[in-house]
Amino acid sequence: MNFKELGLSDDLIDSISYMGFEKATPIQEQAIPKILDRKDLIACAQTGTGKTAAFILPIINKLSQKEASNDSINTVVICPTRELAIQIDQQINGFTYFTSISSIAIYGGGDGDDWEEQKKALTSGVDIVVTTPGKFIAHLNMGYMNLKNIEHVILDEADRMLDIGFHDDILRIFSYFPKDRQTLMFSATMPNKIRDLAKEILNEPDEISIAISKPAEGVMQIAYLCYDPLKTKFIKRLIDGKESCKSIIIFTSTKKQVGEVVRELRNKDYLVLGISSDLDQSQREDVLIKFRAKQCRVLVATDVMSRGIDIKDINLVINYNVPNDAEDYVHRIGRTARADTTGIAVTLLNEEEQYKFLRIERLIEKEVLKSPVPTEIGESPTWNPNASNKRPSNKNRGKSKRYKGKRS
Ligand code: AMP
């Protein structure tokens, strides 16, 4: 379906084509008419499905048809991380470039200047605020925000926010919003705690579900049986000489491993950068800018990066180890093959990680092809996931081892 058929205005359709979108994705087809119709919505959709545009386009459509208000906020988008807040705000900027609709991303980690700019936007009025819960509460506590004209509130990645422990903060924020608002909730999974939250903040919502916890069709998945000490050697072998792989992300489960893998690959003359919560906000942004600009071919990251971060054209995702949370696997490999493209996701499995991987296969309802590493890399463990569930830890096997300003 094209965007005109969904009831969006001609001006907005021009901006959508500037962004390179031709056809609506399934979540956009289902969500946009309902949001335009002022329905509350609970949508189960993972990142990579086009969910950001699904909620932001109808809101922009509505905003473009109304007068700007002087000192208030119209829409609040609440999301779990600063990276996601920046990315959502960037998409809003793209769609509103030729309009006077204003937006700002508000997140922690900045300096005093950031706070003053945020305060100025929040007090003088801004159409769309994209924020993380903690920072929004910090501003709420100062008492200078006019929230009485809020018409739309969106919770993005709601399951992730509850995992992080934002439940009480979210309810507190919602206690400040007008009752007659429209509320949209997006979540990659629908556990009971999400349904319970929905009962508290949504009003007779319509429900949309787009394939839960399944990787995009275009991702080719493969798992290699590989002892930990051989993993970097094998990664080097995987990426050596593959010039067409211009953007590669390697996910590790801990910050410590990010540093280790970066060091090992750098030793081997790779242009590699690492990103984890050890870096401060400006360092993280700097790394992402370099990676997006393809000044760095390999990015080593913790799961902070796996959700929602949109970097185009990632050809290869490597799971250095299996994530603890099976949902994180889907998010990690969702960094490749975004919106109709193809990509490869490689997972490295030592002995102890096999049972976790079996659980992931059950979740995605797919058996992933498994292979030993080439013999010249070294010995491989055998695939025996049930044993790995019982086996004590044995790590050492293996031979070698934008506020644009107020609308006027
Ligand atoms: P999201 O699920 O919001 O993280 O979006 C995933 C990616 O798909 C982003 O790069 C969007 O720019 C892109 N995208 C969203 N909607 C469309 C569309 N209708 N056509 C092409 N790409 C899209």
Side-chain angles (χ1 to χ4, degrees):
M1 201 180 266
N2 66 37
F3 287 97
K4 182 131 187 102
E5 292 169 280
L6 293 174
L8 298 173
S9 70
D10 288 344
D11 286 347
L12 185 51
I13 284 165
D14 286 346
S15 306
I16 294 171
S17 24
Y18 278 120
M19 296 280 282
F21 300 3
E22 287 161 16
K23 275 186 4 228
T25 65
I27 183 81
Q28 292 161 0
E29 267 186 44
Q30 293 188 47
I32 290 173
K34 289 184 197 298
I35 300 173
L36 288 174
D37 213 16
R38 240 195 155 273
K39 291 266 178 9
D40 276 13
L41 198 68
I42 175 166
C44 187
Q46 48 176 291
T47 187
T49 54
K51 66 182 170 60
T52 314
F55 65 73
I56 217 61
L57 286 172
I59 303 284
I60 292 171
N61 200 79
K62 291 198 235 182
L63 279 169
S64 61
Q65 287 161 6
K66 64 183 278 168
E67 291 280 307
S69 110
N70 284 334
D71 63 348
S72 60
I73 298 164
N74 178 279
T75 296
V76 180
V77 181
I78 307 171
C79 65
T81 61
R82 57 188 90 177
E83 282 80 9
L84 188 54
I86 293 169
Q87 185 184 300
I88 293 171
D89 190 45
Q90 280 169 345
Q91 268 206 46
I92 294 172
N93 283 338
F95 290 129
T96 57
Y97 193 77
F98 296 108
T99 73
S100 55
I101 295 171
S102 58
S103 68
I104 187 167
I106 287 183
Y107 45 84
D111 53 23
D113 290 348
D114 286 348
W115 176 273
E116 282 309 312
E117 193 195 334
Q118 293 171 6
K119 179 179 170 188
K120 189 169 157 225
L122 293 171
T123 47
S124 59
V126 55
D127 295 308
I128 307 175
V129 175
V130 186
T131 184
T132 51
K135 197 65 175 189
F136 197 67
I137 286 195
H139 282 286
L140 263 181
N141 286 340
M142 307 300 288
Y144 43 58
M145 274 194 269
N146 176 356
L147 301 175
K148 65 179 193 303
N149 294 326
I150 294 221
E151 291 186 299
H152 317 103
V153 181
I154 298 116
L155 279 187
D156 192 20
E157 309 243 350
D159 52 349
R160 187 66 160 178
M161 286 198 276
L162 295 193
D163 287 348
I164 297 173
F166 282 140
H167 178 267
D168 293 351
D169 285 350
I170 289 171
L171 288 188
R172 169 133 188 259
I173 292 172
F174 270 80
S175 70
Y176 286 84
F177 293 150
K179 294 260 175 301
D180 61 353
R181 64 179 188 260
Q182 181 181 21
T183 313
L184 314 171
M185 185 156 106
F186 285 75
S187 186
T189 56
M190 271 311 138
N192 286 341
K193 57 186 181 182
I194 287 290
R195 299 210 169 269
D196 293 344
L197 178 66
K199 282 189 202 125
E200 296 194 69
I201 59 173
L202 298 175
N203 178 22
E204 297 181 10
D206 278 5
E207 195 162 335
I208 295 176
S209 183
I210 302 286
I212 307 171
S213 303
K214 298 261 167 52
E217 288 296 321
V219 189
M220 198 193 107
Q221 301 170 66
I222 179 158
Y224 284 95
L225 300 156
C226 185
Y227 289 113
D228 279 356
L230 301 182
K231 284 183 173 176
T232 335
K233 183 175 174 191
F234 179 56
I235 290 173
K236 183 174 175 335
R237 159 80 188 256
L238 271 179
I239 61 186
D240 253 353
K242 303 221 174 49
E243 302 313 327
S244 57
C245 270
K246 295 204 171 8
S247 295
I248 299 166
I249 298 191
I250 302 173
F251 283 112
T252 68
S253 293
T254 64
K255 296 187 273 195
K256 189 164 166 267
Q257 277 172 332
V258 170
E260 287 166 3
V261 175
V262 168
R263 267 192 306 280
E264 282 190 57
L265 288 180
R266 268 199 192 141
N267 287 342
K268 297 174 168 66
D269 295 335
Y270 283 95
L271 203 52
V272 184
L273 288 173
I275 187 167
S276 71
S277 52
D278 269 352
L279 299 187
D280 70 27
Q281 178 60 19
S282 68
Q283 291 171 318
R284 282 152 79 164
E285 278 167 30
D286 196 44
V287 168
L288 287 178
I289 287 167
K290 288 196 171 113
F291 188 60
R292 284 198 176 101
K294 303 203 186 336
Q295 289 166 11
C296 135
R297 181 169 172 231
V298 183
L299 182 67
V300 187
T302 52
D303 285 306
V304 164
M305 285 288 303
S306 75
R307 299 219 176 198
I309 299 308
D310 183 28
I311 297 173
K312 296 214 188 316
D313 308 325
I314 290 178
N315 321 95
L316 176 62
V317 169
I318 300 174
N319 291 314
Y320 183 86
N321 38 33
V322 181
N324 289 321
D325 179 352
E327 289 288 339
D328 279 334
Y329 175 79
V330 176
H331 286 281
R332 284 183 180 188
I333 76 169
R335 304 306 85 223
T336 183
R338 308 209 15 122
D340 277 353
T341 58
T342 53
I344 301 172
V346 171
T347 304
L348 307 181
L349 300 177
N350 67 20
E351 289 169 292
E352 291 86 35
E353 290 171 311
Q354 297 184 8
Y355 185 73
K356 278 199 278 183
F357 197 67
L358 184 68
R359 280 199 332 232
I360 289 169
E361 290 186 316
R362 289 191 187 130
L363 179 90
I364 62 175
E365 295 173 353
K366 186 179 166 92
E367 195 178 327
V368 175
L369 181 72
K370 288 162 209 85
S371 166
V373 293
T375 46
E376 69 267 24
I377 299 290
E379 186 193 340
S380 295
T382 46
W383 171 246
N384 191 357
N386 291 321
S388 79
N389 190 26
K390 295 180 196 117
R391 188 183 292 126
S393 177
N394 181 12
K395 294 201 174 68
N396 298 319
R397 293 273 319 265
K399 281 214 189 99
S400 35
K401 307 244 167 242
R402 171 188 97 125
Y403 171 59
K404 290 194 302 188
K406 199 169 69 164
R407 286 166 89 189
S408 47

